[in-house]
């Protein structure tokens, strides 16, 4: 035994503080370019500086830390950075409520949370810390905006947007949650508002973002993103109004039903509604439009909603058959989807059918299902499935088969009235926010020159410090007396800054790149650091970010790649998601429920290693589960038992047998194999259970005389190395007490001795005609013929064979013998 801590009593508070200080002073976790080692860029999602770390932060970060430590022990040069996503509404709301500047509020919170994070004992390289609200950071956020603008990927337009009346800002579609369409931040129901806003052309990368070749991302995330992008194959078809000749373009996934379009429906907000509505219908149409725009999209699209609509008095020409069909407006058609206009085919769409029945509109069957008798409009009680042979469709009647849609598209193109087209549910990213605490959009509006990007030499466009806060939440940038006044960089005339700030997801789309070189000022990152560290090898975080942060980050990387700024097709090679820690009542933690868990209190009581280990152990990491205070007590007892087992001497009066030594080495190397596998697969709960089980085994072998033997020393060394990523402080302390070289965290991960891990005997299942009839214990290396002979000789098996000969005997080595009689 080497030096001890004086008392030889496990004192987590003393041990953890000692090693955290030592690691920091030694720069143990500094990650620098080293071409002699393979690199591993491990990244976990950075937090918002709300003021306090909660147990969810620990649940995301500490297992990610353990995985990074494991990769380091495998011989990788591991970078594991941390920072703060520090722009956003909460800081601004705090400014209004507490009369404190958001910068001051944010900086105090960061200082507190950084100190809290350091109690985890994580291997964060704090030299690489980035803070998105720091001007040295948002200088480059603004620079990226200008690059996107210059390449046609940032544009400005007026459009109906989701507006939070409480936060007084626009929201991206992804930030509107729930059936009641509420703001993700304050849960206030959103309203629609027409505003001139900035957008990024995420739709330009919709098709590419459907592909995940070469990256290891969870299937669930891929499905969420694929559904959100919503690729649809169909046709764009041009109708025209009968009187004025205005074009009405519609997108349909079923162009083979065009001959069944007996009316058209426009969104109440459609730009043509005012132009085509007849004088006699004007009052009714205007009243309906006013009522429709007050409703949420969810209310308007509800399938069980009573069908409402108003006839405009206008007609359109169906281009495939020349028929005049009435044009209606209805709230179930939304302006934000497709073209804001649809052709209605009531015979084959239930919603159109119900609308037609309600308002007495024509219905025509144009697809005849093979398994149905022909049906007339009068006989129909619901829409007919649109699967079968085209009928009542002019020269295309009789067309059938999987290529029907393609044939119709070809016919439409030949007639010059339509063409095949792919559309996406994904919309361009709305990035404008009418708030103060965000990165200002680096644009100058000149009455002579138009929209001009801020010259790069003038970046960053800094937020003004002298701002006043209104209880309404209106942006101080808009109201500031001087900040927005500026000279046009082109003509020198008087101009104004854009007073919007960027969505904070813009800041978090590239933070992994700023970690590469946070102090670099010649560009957003040092090219040498990029070339060595990128792409991110492993990224961890919550699945709730699938359709926002993760998709925006992919878009950002691909857009920069096409500008020659980044390389490769994806920013992160491997993604893993953690679940959620619930309260003891199995409900989501919240202060109002009184079921929150304060990690600081737990660390003070049990120590960081116990908190880490329990978070690994209490549930499967990818699923999460309810917290248990009784459960953490058990984890604490395990660490104390391990401490006693390893640091306390045995009297040595008992000499271990060869069988004991062999069994000790077998258990150790079997456990090493399973834990190595579990680290690779992010199965942290079974890592802890395996360590607990092995500790019980080792304690028994110690009592049986294994203590002091070479096998015992090997077992202890391997055990501590397996513990080190999970419980880094206690492992380091015990490693030191054994007189081993500093630090355990720079040691090589042990290799499994496959020979030692082999079982002497195994149990084979014996089946007769596919049913389990017996189990036999045989030597682990038994030959196939010997396994057959022992299985056939079994009295139990003989009884079930009923004297019949074995027609076939199949052996699956190590598992079973199947006898067919």
């Amino acid at each position: 035994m080497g030096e001890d801590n004086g008392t030889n009593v496990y004192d987590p508070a003393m041990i953890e503080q000692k090693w955290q200080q030592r690691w920091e002073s030694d720069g143990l976790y500094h990650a620098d370019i080293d071409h002699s080692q393979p690199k591993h860029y491990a990244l976990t999602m950075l937090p918002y500086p709300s003021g306090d770390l909660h147990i969810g932060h620990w649940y995301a970060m500490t297992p990610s830390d353990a995985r990074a430590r494991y990769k380091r022990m495998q011989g990788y040069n591991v970078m594991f950075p941390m920072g703060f996503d520090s722009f956003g509404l909460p800081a601004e709301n705090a400014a209004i409520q507490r009369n404190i500047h958001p910068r001051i509020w944010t900086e105090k919170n960061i200082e507190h949370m950084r100190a809290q994070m350091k109690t985890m004992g994580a291997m964060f390289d704090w030299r690489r810390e980035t803070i998105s609200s720091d001007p040295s950071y948002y200088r480059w956020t603004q620079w990226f905006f200008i690059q996107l603008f210059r390449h046609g990927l940032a544009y400005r337009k007026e459009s109906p947007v989701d507006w939070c009346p409480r936060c007084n800002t626009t929201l991206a579609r992804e930030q509107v949650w729930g059936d009641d369409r509420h703001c993700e931040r304050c849960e206030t129901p959103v309203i629609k508002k027409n505003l001139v806003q900035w957008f990024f052309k995420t739709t330009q990368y919709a098709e590419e973002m459907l592909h995940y070749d070469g990256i290891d991302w969870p299937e669930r995330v891929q499905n969420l993103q694929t559904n959100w992008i919503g690729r649809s194959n169909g046709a764009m078809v041009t109708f025209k109004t009968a009187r004025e000749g205005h074009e009405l373009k519609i997108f349909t996934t079923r162009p083979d039903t065009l001959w069944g379009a007996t009316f058209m429906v426009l969104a109440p907000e459609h730009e043509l509604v005012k132009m085509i509505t007849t004088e006699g219908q004007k009052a009714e149409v205007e009243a309906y439009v006013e009522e429709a725009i007050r409703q949420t999209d969810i209310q308007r699209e509800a399938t069980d909603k009573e069908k409402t609509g108003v006839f405009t008095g206008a007609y359109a020409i169906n281009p495939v058959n020349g028929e005049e069909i009435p044009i209606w407006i209805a709230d179930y058609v939304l302006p934000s989807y497709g073209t804001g206009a649809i052709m209605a085919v009531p015979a084959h769409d239930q919603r159109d059918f119900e609308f037609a029945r309600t308002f007495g509109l024509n219905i025509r069957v144009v697809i005849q299902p093979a398994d149905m008798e022909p049906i007339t409009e009068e006989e129909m009680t619901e829409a007919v499935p649109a699967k079968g042979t085209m009928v009542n469709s002019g020269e295309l009647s009789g067309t059938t088969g999987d290529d029907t849609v393609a044939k119709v598209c070809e016919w439409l193109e030949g007639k010059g009235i339509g063409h095949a087209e792919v559309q996406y549910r994904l919309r361009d990213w709305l990035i404008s926010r009418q708030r103060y605490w965000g990165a200002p959009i680096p644009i100058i509006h000149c009455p002579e020159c138009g929209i001009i990007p801020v010259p790069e030499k003038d970046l960053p466009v800094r937020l003004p410090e002298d701002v006043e806060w209104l209880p309404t939440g209106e942006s101080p940038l808009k109201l500031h007396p001087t900040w927005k006044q500026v000279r046009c960089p082109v003509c020198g005339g008087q101009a104004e800054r854009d007073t919007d700030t960027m969505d904070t997801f813009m800041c978090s789309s590239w933070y992994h790149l700023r970690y590469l070189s946070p102090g670099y000022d010649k560009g957003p990152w040092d090219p040498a650091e990029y070339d060595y560290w990128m792409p991110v090898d492993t990224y961890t975080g919550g699945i709730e970010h699938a359709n926002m942060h993760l998709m925006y980050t992919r878009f950002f990387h691909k857009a920069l790649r096409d500008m020659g700024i980044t390389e490769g097709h994806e920013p992160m090679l491997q993604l893993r998601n953690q679940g959620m820690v619930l309260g003891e009542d199995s409900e989501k933690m919240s202060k109002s429920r009184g079921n929150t868990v304060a990690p600081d209190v737990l660390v003070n009581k049990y120590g960081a290693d116990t908190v880490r280990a329990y978070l690994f152990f209490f549930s499967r990491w990818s699923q999460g589960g309810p917290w248990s205070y009784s459960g953490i007590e058990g984890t604490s007892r395990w660490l104390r038992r391990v401490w006693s087992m390893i640091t306390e001497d045995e009297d040595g009066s008992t000499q271990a047998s060869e069988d004991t030594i062999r069994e000790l080495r077998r258990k150790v190397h079997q456990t090493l194999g399973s834990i190595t596998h579990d680290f690779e697969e992010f199965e942290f709960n079974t890592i802890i259970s395996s360590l607990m089980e092995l500790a019980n085994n080792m304690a028994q072998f110690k009592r049986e005389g294994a203590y002091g033997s070479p096998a015992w020393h090997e077992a202890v060394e391997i055990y501590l190395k397996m513990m080190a990523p999970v419980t880094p402080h206690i492992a380091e302390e015990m490693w030191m007490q054994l007189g081993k070289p500093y630090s355990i965290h720079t040691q090589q991960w042990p290799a499994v001795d496959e020979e030692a891990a082999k079982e002497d005997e195994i149990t084979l299942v014996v089946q007769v005609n596919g049913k389990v009839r017996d189990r036999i214990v045989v030597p682990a290396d038994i030959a196939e013929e010997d396994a057959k002979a022992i299985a056939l000789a079994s009295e139990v098996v003989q009884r079930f064979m009923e004297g019949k000969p074995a027609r076939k005997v199949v052996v699956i080595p190590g598992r079973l013998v199947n006898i067919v009689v």
Side-chain angles (χ1 to χ4, degrees):
M1 179 67 64
E3 86 175 274
D4 62 28
N5 65 2
T7 62
N8 206 32
V9 173
Y10 176 45
D11 181 353
M14 185 274 291
I15 290 170
E16 289 170 5
Q17 185 179 32
K18 177 180 81 171
W19 288 114
Q20 287 167 16
Q21 291 173 350
R22 173 81 183 273
W23 297 333
E24 187 169 356
S25 66
D26 291 349
L28 187 66
Y29 303 128
H30 291 176
D32 297 308
I33 294 173
D34 181 353
H35 292 287
S36 69
Q37 286 183 284
K39 67 91 181 180
H40 185 86
Y41 185 174
L43 181 67
T44 192
M45 292 181 186
L46 79 177
Y48 177 79
S50 57
D52 265 308
L53 281 188
H54 54 71
I55 203 68
H57 289 120
W58 278 69
Y59 191 56
M61 294 176 184
T62 54
S64 302
D65 170 64
R67 181 65 163 37
R69 289 176 175 279
Y70 160 75
K71 297 303 287 186
R72 184 182 189 184
M73 293 179 76
Q74 280 195 313
Y76 288 92
N77 182 22
V78 177
M79 177 169 74
F80 190 48
M82 182 47 64
F84 295 92
D85 186 15
S86 50
F87 271 141
L89 283 176
E92 198 158 334
N93 292 337
I96 297 169
Q97 296 161 10
R98 305 172 195 177
N99 195 29
I100 182 173
H101 195 283
R103 177 183 57 78
I104 296 171
W105 185 84
T106 299
E107 288 174 356
K108 285 183 177 178
N109 288 350
I110 287 174
E111 186 178 352
H112 179 61
M113 291 177 69
R114 187 190 296 119
Q116 287 181 307
M117 268 193 244
K118 288 185 176 182
T119 68
M120 292 178 178
M123 59 172 285
F124 297 133
D125 183 352
W126 286 105
R127 300 174 308 159
R128 295 180 178 270
E129 180 186 69
T130 63
I131 299 171
S132 65
S133 59
D134 190 291
S136 65
Y137 185 96
Y138 70 75
R139 167 195 179 185
W140 298 109
T141 302
Q142 293 171 338
W143 184 82
F144 285 126
F145 179 97
I146 292 170
Q147 308 316 306
L148 291 166
F149 176 76
R150 286 177 173 161
H151 286 81
L153 292 172
Y155 67 95
R156 196 168 180 251
K157 71 170 183 178
E158 182 178 77
S159 69
V161 297
D162 289 315
W163 176 269
C164 175
R166 182 174 177 185
C167 297
N168 271 297
T169 190
T170 53
L171 301 173
R173 178 174 162 218
E174 296 86 349
Q175 293 167 309
V176 179
W177 289 11
D179 291 343
D180 63 344
R181 303 191 74 252
H182 63 263
C183 170
E184 65 158 335
R185 289 284 192 188
C186 68
E187 300 187 354
T188 302
V190 303
I191 61 173
K192 287 288 183 184
K193 199 171 185 177
N194 282 327
L195 290 175
V196 176
Q197 304 283 284
W198 283 99
F199 293 83
F200 288 157
K201 283 188 181 177
T202 47
T203 52
Q204 188 163 314
Y205 291 86
E207 184 62 35
E208 187 180 349
M209 288 196 293
L210 288 170
H211 301 283
Y212 298 87
D213 304 334
I215 60 175
D216 175 16
W217 282 34
E219 185 177 354
R220 188 179 169 202
V221 173
Q222 294 186 36
N223 289 338
L224 285 168
Q225 291 194 353
T226 298
N227 292 336
W228 190 258
I229 292 168
R231 187 183 199 275
S232 296
N233 296 303
M236 185 65 75
V237 184
T238 304
F239 287 66
K240 289 186 178 179
T241 59
R243 188 175 61 195
E244 305 88 348
H246 294 304
E247 285 192 352
L248 263 174
K249 291 186 180 293
I250 63 98
F251 175 77
T252 175
T253 58
R254 295 302 304 269
D256 51 333
T257 65
L258 271 161
W259 287 260
T262 56
F263 59 99
M264 294 193 76
V265 185
L266 306 186
E269 302 92 335
H270 196 287
E271 61 182 1
L272 284 183
V273 171
K274 288 183 179 179
M275 301 181 196
I276 66 174
T277 300
T278 61
E279 194 61 34
Q281 293 297 110
K282 186 176 180 181
E284 192 177 358
V285 166
E286 288 179 349
Y288 187 86
V289 170
E290 188 67 26
E291 177 63 28
I293 62 176
R294 288 198 189 103
Q295 300 178 60
T296 68
D297 291 357
I298 298 294
Q299 290 170 328
R300 287 170 62 166
E301 290 190 294
T303 55
D304 57 352
K305 179 179 177 288
E306 181 184 352
K307 299 299 174 284
T308 62
V310 174
F311 177 41
T312 64
Y315 290 83
I317 305 297
N318 186 332
V320 300
N321 55 20
E323 289 184 356
E324 283 195 7
I325 58 176
I327 303 174
W328 286 65
I329 61 171
D331 56 13
Y332 71 83
V333 180
L334 303 178
S336 55
Y337 292 99
T339 63
I342 66 165
M343 65 172 199
V345 184
H348 303 293
D349 181 279
Q350 187 60 27
R351 185 162 50 183
D352 293 346
F353 177 83
E354 291 169 8
F355 192 93
R357 281 284 190 250
T358 300
F359 296 105
L361 299 168
N362 290 338
I363 299 174
R364 180 187 303 124
V365 174
V366 292
I367 301 289
Q368 179 59 53
D371 57 353
M372 285 182 64
E373 291 292 324
I375 189 170
T376 64
E377 172 192 335
E378 294 75 18
E379 297 172 313
M380 292 178 67
T381 59
E382 61 182 0
V384 174
K387 189 174 183 180
T389 303
M390 292 176 65
V391 296
N392 301 320
S393 300
E395 60 187 271
L396 290 181
S397 293
T399 304
T400 189
D402 295 337
D403 59 348
T404 296
V405 169
K407 289 178 180 176
V408 173
C409 287
E410 187 178 339
W411 184 87
L412 292 170
E413 289 181 28
K415 297 290 184 182
I417 55 177
H419 59 270
E421 186 165 303
V422 175
Q423 285 206 352
Y424 303 89
R425 181 173 176 265
L426 180 71
R427 294 292 172 262
D428 282 341
W429 177 9
L430 167 63
I431 65 121
S432 293
R433 296 295 180 269
Q434 292 69 44
R435 305 298 294 193
Y436 166 80
W437 194 235
I441 291 177
I443 289 292
I444 293 170
H445 299 277
C446 175
E448 296 298 325
C449 305
I451 296 175
I452 306 296
V454 172
E456 291 181 16
K457 67 180 179 60
D458 296 334
L459 297 179
V461 177
R462 288 176 177 263
L463 292 166
E465 287 285 320
D466 56 331
V467 291
E468 293 184 17
W469 304 97
L470 297 180
T472 59
E474 288 179 87
S475 172
L477 297 181
K478 193 174 183 180
L479 305 172
H480 197 280
T482 60
W483 180 83
K484 64 182 177 182
Q485 305 304 322
V486 68
R487 291 286 176 181
C488 172
V490 177
C491 71
Q494 190 60 43
E496 287 191 353
R497 296 191 188 281
D498 199 305
T499 57
D500 283 353
T501 53
M502 288 183 244
D503 181 6
T504 55
F505 280 113
M506 173 64 174
C507 304
S508 59
S509 292
W510 75 280
Y511 76 99
H512 58 287
L513 296 167
R514 192 60 180 169
Y515 280 148
L516 300 175
S517 42
Y520 193 71
D521 64 357
K522 296 182 178 62
W525 57 76
D526 182 339
E529 294 277 342
Y530 184 97
D531 292 344
Y532 180 76
W533 290 110
M534 283 297 288
V536 174
D537 293 284
T538 298
Y539 194 29
T540 59
I543 198 168
E544 67 272 15
H545 295 291
N547 292 338
M548 291 188 286
H549 163 61
L550 290 171
M551 193 173 289
Y552 295 150
T553 300
R554 294 182 71 210
F555 155 75
F556 190 85
H557 182 90
K558 294 171 187 295
L560 295 188
R561 174 204 62 197
D562 291 347
M563 299 176 202
I565 298 173
T566 58
E567 298 177 4
H569 298 305
E570 296 285 350
M572 289 99 179
L573 299 182
Q574 182 185 57
L575 173 71
R576 291 295 181 268
N577 304 118
Q578 81 275 0
M580 182 181 291
V581 184
L582 304 174
E584 281 200 300
D585 56 2
S586 297
E587 297 289 339
K588 186 176 180 180
M589 287 187 186
S590 69
K591 290 180 180 178
S592 61
R593 287 197 179 100
N595 63 352
T596 58
V597 175
D600 287 1
V601 173
L602 295 171
V603 171
N604 289 336
K605 182 176 181 180
Y606 298 104
D609 282 338
T610 295
V611 178
R612 289 171 61 108
Y614 180 64
L615 285 170
F616 293 20
F617 179 59
F618 88 106
S619 73
R620 194 172 184 183
W621 188 66
S622 60
Q623 296 175 350
W627 179 265
S628 168
Y629 283 101
S630 60
I632 196 172
E633 290 284 352
T635 306
S636 178
R637 288 193 297 272
W638 162 60
L639 287 181
R640 293 183 185 280
R641 282 199 304 270
V642 172
W643 176 270
S644 298
M645 177 183 74
I646 292 177
T647 64
E648 294 177 3
D649 295 335
E650 193 75 11
D651 63 16
S653 60
T654 305
Q655 185 70 33
S657 66
E658 288 185 10
D659 288 345
T660 297
I661 296 299
R662 187 166 57 249
E663 189 63 19
L664 169 61
R665 297 199 71 232
R666 179 182 297 121
K667 292 292 185 186
V668 167
H669 284 278
Q670 287 177 345
T671 302
L672 175 59
S674 65
I675 286 179
T676 301
H677 169 271
D678 291 343
F679 266 121
E680 291 294 334
E681 299 300 319
F682 296 80
E683 297 291 354
F684 301 107
N685 59 325
T686 50
I687 290 172
I688 303 300
S689 60
S690 295
L691 285 170
M692 288 178 170
E693 182 179 351
L694 181 57
N696 292 336
N697 295 144
M698 286 175 63
Q700 179 62 35
F701 294 134
K702 184 179 182 181
R703 289 191 294 270
E704 293 176 4
Y707 179 79
S709 67
W712 176 258
H713 292 310
E714 177 198 39
V716 168
E717 185 171 321
I718 290 174
Y719 194 92
L720 291 180
K721 287 180 178 179
M722 291 189 294
M723 280 184 79
V726 178
T727 53
H729 310 89
I730 189 174
E732 186 81 278
E733 178 68 21
M734 290 189 288
W735 186 258
M736 180 205 69
Q737 290 199 27
L738 292 174
K740 299 291 185 179
Y742 172 78
S743 155
I744 192 171
H745 303 296
T746 59
Q747 303 303 307
Q748 192 71 21
W749 187 257
V752 177
D753 184 333
E754 298 292 350
E755 195 61 37
K758 282 183 180 178
E759 292 283 357
D760 290 339
E761 294 181 327
I762 57 173
T763 300
L764 296 180
V765 170
V766 184
Q767 296 178 336
V768 178
N769 289 342
K771 292 184 178 181
V772 177
R773 298 303 189 188
D774 198 7
R775 286 176 172 81
I776 55 175
V777 178
V778 297
D781 57 353
I782 191 170
E784 187 173 316
E785 290 303 317
D786 292 338
K788 289 180 182 180
I790 293 172
L792 289 169
S794 162
E795 292 183 8
V796 176
V797 169
Q798 288 288 334
R799 186 166 68 249
F800 283 103
M801 290 177 65
E802 298 176 344
K804 299 174 183 175
R807 186 160 53 89
K808 187 178 183 182
V809 181
V810 177
V811 176
I812 299 179
R815 290 180 57 195
L816 63 82
V817 179
N818 187 28
I819 301 167
V820 181
V821 298

